[in-house]
Amino acid sequence: MTEPTSPNVTAGGRVQLARPKEPYIPPREWIRDNLFSTPFNSILTVLFTALVFVMTRGMLGFIFGHDRRWEAPATNLRFLMTQAYPDEQYIRVWFTFGWILALAGLSLAAWNAAPRVGYRNLARKAASVGVAVALIGLVAPAMSTSGRLQYVLIGAIPMAAGIIALKILDNHDTRDMSAFVVQVLVVAGIILSLWTVPYGQHTFVDGAARVDSGTVAQSTKLPLTIMLLVIIAAFYVGRTIRPHFKQLKAVLGGIWLLSPFILTTLVLRDPAFDSGHLLSTDIPIGLAFALGGGAILWLLSSAKAGETGRIAAAIILVLAFASFLTPMRMIVRIDALMLAGAALSSATFAGSREARLRFVGGWMGAIVIVNWLVTATNTPSTVFGLPTGTFYGGGLTLTLIITSFTLIFAFPLGVTMALARTSKMPIFRVMSTAYIETIRGIPLITVFIFFAIMLPLLLPDGMEVAKIPAIVIGYVLFSSAYLAENVRGGLQSIGRGQHEAAEALGLTTAQKTLMITLPQALRVSIPPLVGQAIGTFKESSLVLIVGLFDLLFIARNVIPNTSGFLGAQREPLMVASFIYWAGSYSMSKASQRVERKLGLGER
Amino acid sequence: MTDTVKQHRDLSNAKDMIVCQGVNKWYGDFQALSDITATVKETEVVVVLGPSGSGKSTWIRCVNRLEHHQSGNIIVDGVELTNDVRNIEKIRSEVGMVFQQFNLFPHLTVLDNITLAPKWVRKLPKAEAEEKAMELLEIVGIPEQADKYPGQMSGGQQQRVAIARALAMEPRIMLFDEPTSALDPEMIKEVLDVMKGLARSGMTMMVVTHEMGFAREVADRIIFMEDGEIVEVGTPEHFFTDPEEDRTKLFLSQIL
């Protein structure tokens, strides 16, 4: 008789047996049970295997075809990423990329977001990758024998490593490692290959494409190596400071939110930026309203202001309207109107010293934000548009800029719309319903054309808007309508009991919305919201309709029309598709992880 | 049936906490409450009985204005319930309510569920609110669950958290709307025990329930409702042994 395997005894004295281990199923049986269980299933299996085989072979035949001109995307990779950003200023692009990677590394550490991968899982993945690579060599049509051999040999390495590891590791091995380390190792391997493997150097000199032998250009492999080091360093810095820095997540969240603004206005802007106008006009106006207006509001919110205060506020309102009758900078008029509004409502904020300080502080914040927005869209030589109307950072950069700005602004607007549509106040409900239904009835292309071409004509004198901000404004209005409907779905899924419990505790409507219904509604709406974010990312390619050079437009129209690559359209398009896919897939993956983390408390 | 019946207390000199005068309520054309007139005194425990659909829950929900009555007056702790938002907020922060379906906030931990309203409505500092919450969890007997989410607890535990959440606002009146109806039998006792303790501590309570044992043992007065109106009012002794109305007798014969 053998020893019983360590029985656990419960408090009640019942012996709890360990769950029996899953029995080993030999591959033959597994295949029979899962693929050929019935004649019909056998037919399906055979049919679909054949289909997959034919499609894969066709795809590989395309990729490895002799007449493929992969030098088109290879030479123009930088063009696809950033359009014609000047070479001598390219450090700005790398700085932006590095900034994002550094933030990503810090955030991975701060949120402890990197998943863990089990050793066995890893070994299985390595083996599968090896099999896939080897299969490429075996299946691909039109490939030289030495080429096939190369693929099979390269694939054999991870395959063998994976299979050996699986043999060594116990069936129930529970050890695991951070997926971040795995990914870094894989990327490090790729970057190492850039330094050692002669992929060839693609350059474009004097209107002709040239391919030199040797490893890729120094200007590609060196920055990429530095980028890898940046994200590794950031990750370990984040891990070190995490225990000592309580607000790390909040600070990082804030930096993420501000990054698009900081990067586009300070880093990715026109290198020959004319700061004279900024210093002589924009900043003084903003400062005057922030400080002068703040002082006025401080006086008006005093308890003693009374009737005099109301008269003063009325005078400011009259002056603000009068400014529209005389020639004046638009920003002054906007600021004056804002000041009038704040002055009229200042009696509501009268009270303790702290309350008045908060009021004045809020005013200054609002002025800074509004003036920044107007200046950024209105000044020709910020990143958003050169005097000539062209834009430095096209390609993927433009796609990402449009996407991120749209998402940042559309989210709060959409949530507000959803709340308005579910509100008890008829005026809000009607307005938001009308807005949503109108926008949803208009094609995106129409919105883009309207905002890029019509909006500048409709603006009052003295107010300009560059093409990219105009597009972003239109895209924000468009996306927020759809976003509002997604959030509304979430809001309606919150049961009546939650509202009643919050009300019975004496929470105000605002508190109830912010702390009870909205968090639950947003959690429910994560899948549709991420779906929409992915859509926003991909559909931004429609900006080609108003002549902006985004990733897709460069791949489809610009490269095939460049001398040296005439007609080479399919290769850049395939690269562009891959980039879109990679972006969308990582968003989708990230959202699944967020869902799992948030779902922890619920059954 | 020799359950302990609560000794009759003389509360005629106590302050009026809830006064209802001729309250009527309609859902569409259906009259849910007709001419409800009743008073609940300070520290009194009133149990409302009646068949389902008799308007018990509607009435108790009118008392903190989760439902609006169309005519008559409801005065809670000296404040009349009208559409004035400030009155409603004042009443609600003084009247705790426990629901049949618990209605805990599933995205917050137990501790956050309890401290939310004290922090935001009573403006209590976080540390103080949490200390108070732990005391209350101690009273309802589940201090070790403070960091769990509602979805990870049994129904009885959730209902006890819901009671602690209501008590954290230091209410002067507690309303219970069928607090044990959604619970498995073995969990009913743990919730009733908490409620009994609360009644002993002198809380003014209005309880809608089907637990006859609880009514007999804890109630000062029992109000029997049917078809939206009050049929009979009396002490438990009177109610269970010597009811006057035929409808009350019929109800008792069906459930006992």
Side-chain angles (χ1 to χ4, degrees):
Chain A
M1 218 183 115
T2 51
E3 285 273 314
T5 50
S6 63
N8 299 315
V9 183
T10 60
R14 193 169 64 89
V15 176
Q16 276 200 324
L17 294 177
R19 180 185 162 152
K21 296 189 170 175
E22 302 286 332
Y24 172 74
I25 304 169
R28 256 189 61 186
E29 265 179 51
W30 187 91
I31 289 173
R32 200 190 57 215
D33 291 349
N34 289 281
L35 298 174
F36 298 98
S37 49
T38 64
F40 180 63
N41 284 357
S42 310
I43 294 172
L44 283 184
T45 303
V46 170
L47 241 144
F48 278 91
T49 314
L51 195 67
V52 168
F53 178 77
V54 169
M55 280 168 55
T56 317
R57 200 173 140 86
M59 197 70 192
L60 290 172
F62 171 79
I63 293 175
F64 293 104
H66 293 303
D67 50 350
R68 282 287 82 76
R69 295 158 67 184
W70 288 111
E71 76 276 7
T75 313
N76 290 305
L77 206 52
R78 180 177 277 196
F79 198 45
L80 280 171
M81 294 297 142
T82 56
Q83 203 189 339
Y85 208 87
D87 265 355
E88 66 280 7
Q89 295 286 344
Y90 215 76
I91 184 81
R92 289 171 184 274
V93 174
W94 286 118
F95 179 85
T96 307
F97 191 38
W99 172 293
I100 293 169
L101 285 182
L103 270 182
L106 284 168
S107 306
L108 267 178
W111 271 272
N112 204 4
R116 314 280 307 173
V117 230
Y119 283 6
R120 282 187 63 82
N121 194 3
L122 205 60
R124 227 172 286 140
K125 275 188 180 150
S128 329
V129 169
V131 170
V133 173
L135 273 180
I136 290 177
L138 294 176
V139 172
M143 191 190 266
S144 65
T145 318
S146 67
R148 287 181 198 283
L149 208 59
Q150 262 183 24
Y151 273 94
V152 172
L153 283 180
I154 291 174
I157 299 169
M159 192 164 74
I163 290 173
I164 292 170
L166 278 177
K167 286 270 176 238
I168 296 173
L169 292 171
D170 174 41
N171 244 353
H172 299 274
D173 190 281
T174 51
R175 285 172 294 172
D176 58 6
M177 64 193 299
S178 166
F180 178 73
V181 175
V182 180
Q183 283 158 354
V184 161
L185 286 176
V186 171
V187 176
I190 294 171
I191 287 180
L192 191 68
S193 81
L194 292 184
W195 288 93
T196 50
V197 181
Y199 290 113
Q201 230 180 79
H202 298 263
T203 42
F204 192 70
V205 187
D206 301 329
R210 227 178 89 185
V211 184
D212 300 317
S213 58
T215 58
V216 298
Q218 189 78 11
S219 58
T220 304
K221 59 192 177 190
L222 184 64
L224 281 178
T225 313
I226 296 172
M227 292 300 124
L228 180 68
L229 297 179
V230 164
I231 192 170
I232 296 173
F235 181 77
Y236 285 99
V237 167
R239 250 197 12 193
T240 322
I241 60 174
R242 188 176 61 192
H244 312 291
F245 192 15
K246 259 190 178 171
Q247 275 84 36
L248 185 60
K249 286 183 192 177
V251 170
L252 281 173
I255 300 180
W256 270 117
L257 210 57
L258 288 176
S259 285
F261 303 96
I262 298 172
L263 290 173
T264 44
T265 40
L266 295 181
V267 183
L268 270 182
R269 59 171 172 75
D270 175 6
F273 178 69
D274 168 26
S275 54
H277 187 266
L278 202 64
L279 291 176
S280 70
T281 317
D282 297 326
I283 291 178
I285 291 177
L287 269 183
F289 272 97
L291 298 177
I296 293 174
L297 292 179
W298 174 257
L299 290 176
L300 289 186
S301 63
S302 126
K304 284 173 283 177
E307 200 59 35
T308 337
R310 237 160 287 161
I311 293 170
I315 292 174
I316 296 175
L317 185 67
V318 171
L319 285 177
F321 279 126
S323 73
F324 282 86
L325 301 175
T326 55
M328 191 165 294
R329 300 198 83 76
M330 196 62 197
I331 183 70
V332 178
R333 294 170 177 164
I334 295 176
D335 284 353
L337 266 185
M338 281 175 63
L339 181 62
L344 284 172
S345 61
S346 58
T348 332
F349 295 92
S352 65
R353 210 181 126 76
E354 287 73 31
R356 287 168 72 194
L357 276 177
R358 265 203 304 276
F359 177 49
V360 173
W363 159 257
M364 290 182 176
I367 274 293
V368 167
I369 292 171
V370 167
N371 282 33
W372 181 87
L373 281 174
V374 173
T375 310
T377 55
N378 204 3
T379 313
S381 57
T382 50
V383 65
F384 295 113
L386 296 174
T388 49
T390 53
F391 171 66
Y392 269 128
L396 181 63
T397 319
L398 179 63
T399 301
L400 291 179
I401 285 179
I402 291 178
T403 309
S404 48
F405 276 103
T406 302
L407 291 179
I408 287 178
F409 288 112
F411 184 74
L413 188 61
V415 170
T416 316
M417 286 295 161
L419 289 174
R421 196 167 182 180
T422 50
S423 135
K424 284 196 188 109
M425 311 252 286
I427 176 80
F428 289 146
R429 213 171 44 226
V430 168
M431 274 171 62
S432 120
T433 309
Y435 169 81
I436 292 171
E437 295 307 333
T438 311
I439 292 282
R440 289 209 305 173
I442 302 174
L444 180 56
I445 290 191
T446 317
V447 174
F448 279 159
I449 293 176
F450 177 84
F451 277 88
I453 297 163
M454 301 292 286
L455 185 68
L457 301 179
L458 298 179
L459 284 177
D461 281 350
M463 182 124 185
E464 290 169 49
V465 60
K467 204 179 242 173
I468 292 170
I471 284 290
V472 168
I473 293 170
Y475 208 7
V476 164
L477 295 179
F478 182 84
S479 308
S480 61
Y482 287 85
L483 208 142
E485 286 299 275
N486 290 337
V487 175
R488 184 168 72 104
L491 281 171
Q492 280 173 343
S493 74
I494 308 297
R496 199 170 130 203
Q498 292 289 310
H499 290 272
E500 286 178 351
E503 281 165 20
L505 285 170
L507 296 179
T508 63
T509 308
Q511 287 169 338
K512 181 183 80 179
T513 305
L514 282 178
M515 289 180 290
I516 308 299
T517 46
L518 205 49
Q520 295 184 54
L522 289 180
R523 179 188 294 188
V524 178
S525 344
I526 288 176
L529 286 180
V530 172
Q532 217 211 323
I534 290 175
T536 306
F537 173 53
K538 291 184 301 186
E539 281 156 29
S540 68
S541 55
L542 283 176
V543 297
L544 69 89
I545 208 77
V546 293
L548 287 174
F549 286 53
D550 78 315
L551 177 63
L552 188 67
F553 186 69
I554 291 179
R556 196 181 78 101
N557 285 33
V558 182
I559 296 177
N561 285 323
T562 317
S563 64
F565 310 106
L566 281 181
Q569 191 178 50
R570 287 184 243 174
E571 297 83 359
L573 271 181
M574 198 154 167
V575 171
S577 320
F578 178 78
I579 293 171
Y580 278 117
W581 174 80
S584 307
Y585 184 68
S586 34
M587 276 197 242
S588 176
K589 269 295 194 198
S591 91
Q592 283 168 17
R593 284 189 58 71
V594 171
E595 258 174 80
R596 233 173 302 150
K597 268 206 162 171
L598 288 180
L600 261 187
E602 285 176 310
R603 273 200 286 219
Chain B
M1 295 291 270
T2 51
D3 280 341
T4 49
V5 175
K6 188 164 179 179
Q7 288 305 303
H8 183 66
R9 295 190 286 167
D10 184 19
L11 290 164
S12 53
N13 292 327
K15 195 180 147 197
D16 290 348
M17 288 304 276
I18 304 171
V19 179
C20 298
Q21 292 163 337
V23 173
N24 288 297
K25 172 167 180 61
W26 288 265
Y27 287 117
D29 286 334
F30 172 73
Q31 183 159 18
L33 296 178
S34 50
D35 200 24
I36 301 285
T37 300
T39 304
V40 178
K41 300 275 189 182
E42 192 163 20
T43 76
E44 190 178 21
V45 178
V46 170
V47 169
V48 184
L49 296 178
S52 45
S54 60
K56 315 176 297 275
S57 288
T58 307
W59 179 28
I60 204 173
R61 289 153 59 83
C62 280
V63 172
N64 69 348
R65 213 166 170 79
L66 288 178
E67 305 278 356
H68 296 198
H69 57 286
Q70 275 98 28
S71 71
N73 303 318
I74 301 179
I75 299 158
V76 178
D77 199 13
V79 182
E80 172 154 19
L81 289 183
T82 58
N83 274 328
D84 189 330
V85 180
R86 270 166 300 179
N87 277 357
I88 298 172
E89 278 171 11
K90 185 168 180 332
I91 293 298
R92 282 184 178 157
S93 61
E94 286 190 18
V95 180
M97 178 137 185
V98 176
F99 300 86
Q100 182 179 351
Q101 298 294 343
F102 331 136
N103 291 347
L104 292 177
F105 306 129
H107 62 301
L108 298 177
T109 62
V110 165
L111 196 63
D112 290 334
N113 260 285
I114 300 175
T115 56
L116 183 82
K119 274 193 295 197
W120 290 95
V121 180
R122 289 252 187 270
K123 313 283 183 207
L124 232 56
K126 187 169 181 248
E128 205 176 305
E130 281 179 359
E131 194 181 324
K132 172 96 190 148
M134 288 313 294
E135 276 170 32
L136 286 168
L137 281 176
E138 203 81 53
I139 291 173
V140 300
I142 37 176
E144 73 284 357
Q145 311 275 4
D147 293 322
K148 283 201 180 165
Y149 285 90
Q152 299 166 317
M153 307 171 80
S154 74
Q157 291 172 328
Q158 289 194 46
Q159 193 59 297
R160 287 188 276 164
V161 172
I163 295 175
R165 177 176 72 176
L167 289 177
M169 289 293 285
E170 301 185 334
R172 309 188 55 185
I173 303 168
M174 283 286 282
L175 307 176
F176 292 85
D177 186 5
E178 306 203 20
T180 55
S181 301
L183 294 176
D184 292 338
E186 74 268 26
M187 292 169 184
I188 291 177
K189 187 176 174 296
E190 60 188 43
V191 172
L192 289 182
D193 284 345
V194 171
M195 289 168 64
K196 285 175 195 166
L198 203 55
R200 271 195 295 275
S201 73
M203 176 68 76
T204 309
M205 288 164 66
M206 201 168 153
V207 184
V208 172
T209 186
H210 295 293
E211 294 298 320
M212 294 304 147
F214 176 82
R216 189 188 290 263
E217 189 181 336
V218 183
D220 289 299
R221 242 173 347 133
I222 290 177
I223 296 179
F224 176 69
M225 286 180 77
E226 196 171 340
D227 294 335
E229 48 189 25
I230 294 179
V231 175
E232 187 160 359
V233 182
T235 61
E237 200 175 355
H238 159 85
F239 186 84
F240 284 108
T241 55
D242 184 23
E244 278 165 22
E245 300 284 331
D246 289 340
R247 284 196 278 181
T248 317
K249 286 177 191 160
L250 180 65
F251 175 73
L252 287 173
S253 73
Q254 280 166 343
I255 57 158
L256 288 180

